[in-house]
Amino acid sequence: MEPTLFFGLRQLPFQKSSRYRHLYKTEDIQQLEGRLEHLKKVRGIGLITGKPGTGKTAAIREFTNNLNPASFKVIYLQMTTVTVAEFFRMLSSELGLEPQYKKVDLFRQIQDEIRYQCEEKKCTPVIIIDEAQYLSNAILRDLVMLLNFEMDSRDCCILILSGLPGLNRILKQSINESLRQRIIVNYHANGLSRKEAGQYVEWCLKESGCEEPVFSEDAIEAAWRFSQGSVRVMDSLLSKSMIEAAAQKKRQITADIVTIAREDCELDI
């Protein structure tokens, strides 16, 4: 039987498309919100790292969704395994420009547009680079020069670098010292704590129209342990657990059912 019908839900509770998922404020989300709000006021460079599925992109998406489009222009880049020229042509295009051919002209074009947006239109460009751990050192080095306005005396845009923990190690290399020194805010997302895992499950079920404790405590413990705090992995486990429980016609989901779901996910955790 389909889980929503079996458990009497309005919608599946752990799906990416669920409208309410971003509303649950974990410690990571709250910490990130505070740092991003500070970055919004002062502009400059922000760094967000964490294991996959810990909510980095969700926090950034929530942040950008709440920005006034008249005051902030959001540019989101995730294709990071590219050459220097390809990267800056991509950035130029996302700024609404026709990319120049020569690198020096491309740089000037991007800088002029950022300056124009900031000074003339009073609109701060917010450049978000996801999966930034794949950026080459050459691109990271050039970003420092690109964001150098008036002999490095002011910030005309916001740059958010988001990536896996390895990004921290990359930025600690001596070749990236100049960029690292310019980072205004920095946060490493740790994922759901055990306490938050239980609260998260309760929240998602309630928002889906379920008031009953569908998952036993040992089931939540197992899901949290298997997922290692990753919201994305936990969502997958919990969704498959509900499918399995509905198939077995069991109203209470136990650790045994979560274990079966884990095997179905083929998670080598």
Side-chain angles (χ1 to χ4, degrees), residues 45 47 80 84 87-88 107 129 132-147 159 161 166-167 169-173 175-180 182-183:
I45 302 174
L47 173 65
T80 52
V84 175
F87 178 84
F88 288 107
F107 255 57
I129 304 177
Q133 72 275 2
Y134 298 124
L135 290 174
S136 67
N137 284 329
I139 294 176
L140 293 172
R141 177 196 62 210
D142 284 353
L143 281 172
V144 175
M145 294 182 284
L146 184 71
L147 302 183
L159 172 65
L161 299 173
L167 180 57
R169 294 192 294 272
I170 293 169
L171 294 176
K172 287 178 181 179
Q173 296 174 8
I175 193 173
N176 295 318
E177 177 68 17
S178 182
L179 175 60
R180 187 164 60 86
R182 287 168 169 78
I183 294 172

Side-chain angles (χ1 to χ4, degrees), residues 38-46 72 111 114-115 117-119 123-125 143-159 178-179 181-185:
H38 176 70
L39 195 61
K40 172 183 170 182
K41 294 176 182 177
V42 302
R43 297 197 287 258
I45 302 174
F72 296 91
Q111 278 199 324
I114 291 175
R115 187 182 291 108
Q117 290 285 337
C118 179
E119 297 178 356
C123 181
T124 301
L143 281 172
V144 175
M145 294 182 284
L146 184 71
L147 302 183
N148 187 332
F149 293 94
E150 298 179 14
M151 293 192 291
D152 207 22
S153 64
R154 62 177 302 197
D155 291 308
C156 293
C157 70
I158 294 171
L159 172 65
S178 182
L179 175 60
Q181 288 182 1
R182 287 168 169 78
I183 294 172
I184 304 297
V185 298

